[in-house]
Amino acid sequence: MDIDDLLSQHESEHLDFKRVHHDDTLTLLHDILCLSNAWTEGDRYILFGVADDRTIIGVETDPNRRRGSEVQDMLRSSRLNRIPSLEMVSTQRDGHDIDILVIKNRPDKPFFVTVDKEYRGKTIRAGVIYTRLGDTNVPLRQTATEADMELAWRERFGLGLSPLDALTGY
């Protein structure tokens, strides 16, 4: 992961910029699910302390700043079908702290909650597959397109792999 490379890119299926950390775990979980399920090669990233125009804001005074262990605890308590692999990395740029949530690319998509998760009138629905299309998340009241769901399940079952990759476990 090259922070300068990430900062030179625009938001996409694998990259999201956040000025501050989420003030609630439901929105954070939704972002993690969307990025985890996105159809893209490589790992996914949420950069905290960076505006959409890539201006570095910093999170050093953010009252909602989370450590990686807190994000892991939130995922464990969210009743997911499987827990995405991730880590929180902190770095400094222009005298500011930037937190980078690295969501590892895994072939065992899709990730979803097995029980509805509600907060302040918003709900992440059980069994619904959320993903990311370009630089936007699928909204909470919607679901991934049939084509995106098919891609996730095909990857899970190894469909489309060469016979050698299928035998060796990719």
Side-chain angles (χ1 to χ4, degrees):
M1 165 191 62
D2 179 354
I3 184 66
D4 292 321
D5 180 48
L6 291 173
L7 288 169
S8 73
Q9 298 176 39
H10 294 283
E11 289 187 315
S12 64
E13 287 90 356
H14 75 275
L15 180 61
D16 195 8
F17 298 127
K18 300 289 182 191
R19 294 176 68 86
V20 295
H21 281 262
H22 299 80
D23 63 357
D24 68 271
T25 58
L26 187 126
T27 308
L28 173 59
L29 177 59
H30 180 240
D31 279 345
I32 291 171
L33 289 172
C34 288
L35 283 161
S36 296
N37 290 326
W39 183 253
T40 184
E41 293 293 321
D43 295 337
R44 290 88 164 145
Y45 306 92
I46 302 176
L47 275 64
F48 297 99
V50 179
D52 287 346
D53 66 1
R54 296 174 284 189
T55 301
I56 297 173
I57 308 297
V59 292
E60 55 275 359
T61 61
D62 186 346
N64 297 310
R65 191 174 187 184
R66 291 178 179 84
R67 295 184 316 271
S69 60
E70 293 171 295
V71 177
Q72 294 285 358
D73 289 345
M74 180 272 298
L75 290 174
R76 273 193 292 280
S77 68
S78 292
R79 312 268 312 263
L80 297 166
N81 65 321
R82 57 185 25 96
I83 297 174
S85 301
L86 51 82
E87 67 176 316
M88 185 76 76
V89 178
S90 295
T91 189
Q92 284 203 327
R93 282 292 182 276
D94 300 336
H96 292 290
D97 293 346
I98 298 173
D99 290 339
I100 306 165
L101 185 63
V102 182
I103 304 167
K104 300 295 185 183
N105 186 27
R106 291 193 5 208
D108 55 343
K109 298 169 192 66
F111 297 92
F112 52 87
V113 296
T114 59
V115 174
D116 285 358
K117 185 169 178 78
E118 299 178 15
Y119 181 75
R120 293 187 186 162
K122 296 179 183 176
T123 305
I124 295 179
R125 297 175 294 148
V128 172
I129 298 170
Y130 299 98
T131 190
R132 193 160 166 90
L133 305 171
D135 63 352
T136 61
N137 290 340
V138 168
L140 286 171
R141 295 183 186 267
Q142 296 179 21
T143 186
T145 66
E146 183 179 349
D148 286 326
M149 284 189 262
E150 179 184 348
L151 289 171
W153 286 111
R154 288 177 64 81
E155 186 173 4
R156 160 85 70 84
F157 295 124
L159 302 174
L161 291 175
S162 72
L164 181 60
D165 287 340
L167 284 173
T168 59
Y170 356 171

